[in-house]
Amino acid sequence: MSEWGYVIGEEDLLPLSLGCAVLGTGGGGNPYLGMLRTRELIRAGAQVRIIPFDALDDTATVYALGSIGAPVVGVEKIKRGDECLHALRALERTTGRRADALISEEIGGSNGIEPIAIAAQAGLPVLDGDGMGRAFPEVQMTTFFIYGQACSPAAVADDKGNVVTFDPVDTMYRLEALARAVTVQMGGSAGMCTAPMGMAFIRRAALPGTVTQALRIGRAIVDARATRADVLERLLVVADATLLFTGRVTAVVREMKGGFSVGMAMIAGNGAYAGCTARIAIQNENLVLWVDDAVMACVPDLIMMVEHETGEPITTELVKYGLPVAVIGLPAHDLLRTAQALDVVGPQAFGYAGIDYDTHRL
Amino acid sequence: MSEWGYVIGEEDLLPLSLGCAVLGTGGGGNPYLGMLRTRELIRAGAQVRIIPFDALDDTATVYALGSIGAPVVGVEKIKRGDECLHALRALERTTGRRADALISEEIGGSNGIEPIAIAAQAGLPVLDGDGMGRAFPEVQMTTFFIYGQACSPAAVADDKGNVVTFDPVDTMYRLEALARAVTVQMGGSAGMCTAPMGMAFIRRAALPGTVTQALRIGRAIVDARATRADVLERLLVVADATLLFTGRVTAVVREMKGGFSVGMAMIAGNGAYAGCTARIAIQNENLVLWVDDAVMACVPDLIMMVEHETGEPITTELVKYGLPVAVIGLPAHDLLRTAQALDVVGPQAFGYAGIDYDTHRL
């Protein structure tokens, strides 16, 4: 396997965390702290290889993991760093199946980095892919669950070594409800690992290449800054994204509700968008963009907000009055656009009964 | 073992459930539905033996189990009947230790009957004893946990077969918080089983003879009714209880709060108590009795409300305007009166900072 993929170097971590934050579509938590933890592990000698799906045969066992909780909690409640590892070990014990590789539940935000930090501790490779191609607020919103990953066993662990295992659980929505309630009791943020998957299933259900995609996006931002190039322009090219709006944030309404950051950001347009007003609905992530009350983009497509000058990704817990921003859009992966997927991650799944995805898709 | 103890007969079930309801001190849930379930099992041929602690040697493994949730939920959300069995089986799998006997977490209310219903399904004996000698609202409030039962593994199961296992957990308070949050997600009521205990520990930490005590109290009520004797008088003698108040319920304030029934019942005195007003604070169970604002009794002592004429135990979800009631009191078992126990089940543990147990103990 050593000839497959590439080893993540210390110099890759900042670009990777920037790219993950962009793909976080406002949520998924800020990858900065996870990046620092991973950097310490790599400096201490840990080596993590990012491998393509082809690197493993069908008999290999893969665990998906990531943090669960409201991103805004993660700003003040710092992780210990081994929460997901405890959840993983609990599942390995329960199932008797050791992990051959890890994969991210969601590439967007801190969970794009998390499997790398855990892989560094466990001595495992990380698959170049994930289950969202972005960030989503709920457990069941991965292509893994959408296309048939077992709902159990799954485990949640906190920073004090407490581990809660769900086994059996009847639906992925039940798993979300139970894991969320436990996470709230654990202080609003925890590590989660879901049922083991075989590589044959991963090849069918996972979104390939997203670690590399995040790395490429992050590198474009870093390089453009270094060469004083137009960051936004480079970002649009490298991410193959569409500019949807530019302006200044005029208001943010945000509250903690059932373990989620829920709210709305308002943006007064400038440049080509002067005189227009944009509105972005938030549940951890950016869900819907309206410009002058017309829907411009909606989940599962990616609605990403970056600081206009620097390309710095703006997460929902950091968006604030006065920020000059650009809103850019990216079509969701085809695996997120099937009828089966839209039931779970389309506008209706988030309570927007009146928004038809196919009418507004990017 | 077959010479030890006694087999529960169909004719014992009504008295037992009455006695458990009396000892429930207003809470623990109404044992009536569990009684019906157990009767069906016994009619179908199941045989459950109630055995004294002496019947098993120190190497025997005992599991304590019972329902968790607000009693008021149990009125409309009927149990399937195998919730606790699923929780038990999950723990047996996790620990590799099969149960030699079951014991009730709390003899008061529905949990006095629950282990018998589960034992009937599992073919196990039930120890004559429990961990509360009454009912209490929270998981950590058993003499098992107070005197050192391991906080994990523990498991909670619902009526749909979902099982959540807590392993490891750092404190019994954490277990309560996590199990409660899961129970609320499971619809407000679930079955729970806690970590296996050895018989040597049970002999030291459990309250002995409480199944038989409940049976004796229930039989006294049934017999007195049948012979038209004064039920209250017989009840006081058999239970060795003190009459604390008689009157009519004038108001009940009750709400669901964090998975508990919390509230207050007001009683206008009659007979020897005419002109006086009693007030009972409730968190699932009756916690404190005031008469004219003076504390007459408080946890962990038992404050029991029965219908004056019939001796029918009145649970907090059934207490209502106009009911003629007698309030009777019983001293808590010595194991609940140590400083160690009062930290967990004394007035302070329920937020009554100003009530000194030793001043007001029965």
Side-chain angles (χ1 to χ4, degrees):
Chain A
M1 199 178 64
S2 61
E3 74 276 24
W4 292 96
Y6 53 90
V7 172
I8 284 279
E10 192 184 324
E11 71 287 358
D12 295 320
L13 292 175
L14 177 66
L16 179 60
S17 68
L18 271 173
C20 289
V22 169
L23 292 174
T25 64
N30 193 318
Y32 185 72
L33 291 171
M35 189 271 282
L36 292 183
R37 276 190 282 116
T38 311
R39 194 172 67 187
E40 289 310 304
L41 291 163
I42 288 178
R43 283 183 179 170
Q47 214 187 45
V48 180
R49 183 168 284 274
I50 307 295
I51 57 171
F53 294 179
D54 290 341
L56 297 176
D57 67 29
D58 284 358
T59 62
T61 297
V62 178
Y63 286 86
L65 45 76
S67 293
I68 172 172
V72 71
V73 171
V75 176
E76 295 204 335
K77 184 175 187 291
I78 311 295
K79 293 187 102 64
R80 243 180 80 96
D82 55 6
E83 290 88 342
C84 287
L85 186 63
H86 284 146
L88 168 68
R89 294 305 190 212
L91 291 193
E92 287 183 326
R93 276 194 305 275
T94 299
T95 62
R97 293 174 66 182
R98 297 282 295 185
D100 295 309
L102 303 180
I103 191 168
S104 175
E105 299 272 8
E106 59 180 345
I107 193 67
S110 61
N111 281 340
I113 298 279
E114 194 62 30
I116 297 173
I118 302 302
Q121 297 170 65
L124 290 169
V126 173
L127 285 170
D128 188 3
D130 78 308
M132 296 184 175
R134 45 166 296 159
F136 276 126
E138 299 187 10
V139 164
Q140 77 279 3
M141 295 173 170
T142 62
T143 50
F144 307 141
F145 280 123
I146 291 168
Y147 294 108
Q149 181 187 12
C151 304
S152 65
V156 162
D158 73 5
D159 54 329
K160 294 166 193 72
N162 298 301
V163 178
V164 177
T165 305
F166 309 92
D167 180 26
V169 170
D170 55 354
T171 72
M172 60 187 179
Y173 294 99
R174 180 100 50 198
L175 178 62
E176 157 64 25
L178 292 170
R180 189 71 49 183
V182 166
T183 299
V184 170
Q185 280 307 319
M186 286 177 164
S189 141
M192 183 164 189
C193 186
T194 54
M197 297 175 278
M199 259 321 288
F201 175 77
I202 289 284
R203 270 186 262 282
R204 198 168 71 240
L207 310 183
T210 52
V211 175
T212 302
Q213 178 193 18
L215 200 48
R216 216 173 54 236
I217 290 173
R219 281 196 190 123
I221 295 173
V222 172
D223 292 350
R225 285 180 191 169
T227 57
R228 298 177 182 247
D230 185 322
V231 179
L232 184 59
E233 195 174 279
R234 288 284 291 277
L235 180 56
L236 291 169
V237 171
V238 168
D240 202 15
T242 311
L243 183 63
L244 299 174
F245 200 77
T246 62
R248 216 171 257 278
V249 177
T250 56
V252 181
V253 186
R254 191 170 42 206
E255 56 171 333
M256 282 294 296
K257 220 161 118 177
F260 297 110
S261 303
V262 176
M264 191 71 82
M266 311 288 288
I267 311 164
N270 58 20
Y273 302 90
C276 300
T277 303
R279 193 158 47 97
I280 296 180
I282 298 165
Q283 180 188 346
N284 289 12
E285 282 74 43
N286 303 322
L287 300 181
V288 183
L289 167 71
W290 293 267
V291 173
D292 292 341
D293 293 327
V295 175
M296 298 301 291
C298 64
V299 278
D301 288 342
L302 287 70
I303 301 166
M304 300 165 285
M305 208 190 292
V306 297
E307 209 180 344
H308 202 147
E309 290 301 307
T310 63
E312 190 70 23
I314 299 171
T315 56
T316 53
E317 71 271 20
L318 297 181
V319 58
K320 61 183 176 189
Y321 177 84
L323 265 185
V325 299
V327 182
I328 65 181
L330 197 61
H333 190 281
D334 282 346
L335 281 174
L336 288 170
R337 294 179 145 189
T338 64
Q340 199 175 343
L342 290 175
D343 279 349
V344 182
V345 297
Q348 282 67 41
F350 291 92
Y352 296 95
I355 300 178
D356 176 53
Y357 175 69
D358 285 323
T359 309
H360 300 288
R361 57 190 278 171
L362 294 174
Chain B
M1 199 177 65
S2 60
E3 73 277 25
W4 290 97
Y6 52 92
V7 171
I8 284 280
E10 192 184 326
E11 71 287 359
D12 296 321
L13 292 175
L14 178 64
L16 180 60
S17 69
L18 271 173
C20 290
V22 170
L23 293 175
T25 64
N30 193 317
Y32 185 73
L33 291 171
M35 191 270 283
L36 293 182
R37 276 190 282 116
T38 312
R39 195 172 67 188
E40 289 310 304
L41 291 164
I42 287 178
R43 284 183 180 170
Q47 214 188 45
V48 180
R49 183 168 283 274
I50 307 296
I51 57 171
F53 293 180
D54 290 342
L56 297 176
D57 67 28
D58 284 358
T59 61
T61 297
V62 179
Y63 285 87
L65 44 76
S67 293
I68 172 172
V72 71
V73 171
V75 176
E76 295 205 335
K77 183 175 188 292
I78 312 294
K79 294 187 99 65
R80 244 180 78 96
D82 55 5
E83 289 87 343
C84 286
L85 186 63
H86 283 146
L88 169 68
R89 294 303 190 213
L91 291 195
E92 287 182 327
R93 275 195 305 275
T94 299
T95 63
R97 293 174 66 182
R98 295 284 294 186
D100 295 308
L102 303 179
I103 191 167
S104 174
E105 298 272 8
E106 59 179 345
I107 193 65
S110 62
N111 281 341
I113 298 280
E114 194 63 29
I116 298 174
I118 301 304
Q121 298 170 65
L124 290 169
V126 173
L127 285 170
D128 188 2
D130 78 307
M132 294 183 177
R134 47 167 296 158
F136 277 126
E138 300 188 10
V139 165
Q140 77 278 3
M141 295 174 171
T142 62
T143 50
F144 307 140
F145 279 124
I146 291 169
Y147 295 109
Q149 181 188 10
C151 305
S152 65
V156 163
D158 73 6
D159 55 327
K160 293 167 193 72
N162 298 301
V163 179
V164 177
T165 305
F166 309 92
D167 182 26
V169 171
D170 55 355
T171 72
M172 59 190 179
Y173 294 98
R174 179 99 50 199
L175 177 61
E176 156 65 26
L178 292 170
R180 188 72 48 181
V182 166
T183 299
V184 170
Q185 281 306 318
M186 284 176 164
S189 142
M192 183 164 188
C193 187
T194 55
M197 296 175 278
M199 258 323 287
F201 175 77
I202 290 283
R203 270 186 262 283
R204 198 169 71 238
L207 309 183
T210 53
V211 175
T212 302
Q213 179 193 17
L215 200 46
R216 217 174 52 237
I217 291 173
R219 283 199 189 120
I221 295 173
V222 171
D223 292 351
R225 284 181 191 169
T227 58
R228 297 176 186 252
D230 184 322
V231 178
L232 184 57
E233 197 176 278
R234 289 284 292 276
L235 179 55
L236 290 169
V237 171
V238 167
D240 201 16
T242 309
L243 183 63
L244 298 173
F245 200 78
T246 61
R248 217 170 255 281
V249 177
T250 56
V252 181
V253 187
R254 194 170 38 208
E255 56 171 334
M256 283 292 298
K257 219 160 116 178
F260 298 109
S261 303
V262 176
M264 191 72 80
M266 310 289 289
I267 312 166
N270 60 19
Y273 302 89
C276 300
T277 303
R279 193 157 48 96
I280 296 179
I282 297 163
Q283 180 188 345
N284 288 12
E285 284 73 44
N286 304 322
L287 299 182
V288 183
L289 167 71
W290 292 266
V291 173
D292 292 343
D293 293 328
V295 175
M296 298 300 292
C298 65
V299 277
D301 288 343
L302 286 70
I303 301 166
M304 300 165 286
M305 209 190 291
V306 297
E307 209 180 343
H308 201 148
E309 292 300 309
T310 62
E312 190 70 23
I314 299 171
T315 55
T316 53
E317 71 270 19
L318 296 180
V319 57
K320 60 182 176 190
Y321 178 83
L323 265 185
V325 299
V327 182
I328 64 180
L330 198 60
H333 190 282
D334 283 347
L335 281 174
L336 288 171
R337 293 178 145 193
T338 63
Q340 200 175 342
L342 290 175
D343 279 350
V344 182
V345 295
Q348 282 67 42
F350 291 94
Y352 296 95
I355 299 179
D356 177 52
Y357 175 70
D358 285 323
T359 308
H360 300 289
R361 57 190 278 170
L362 293 174

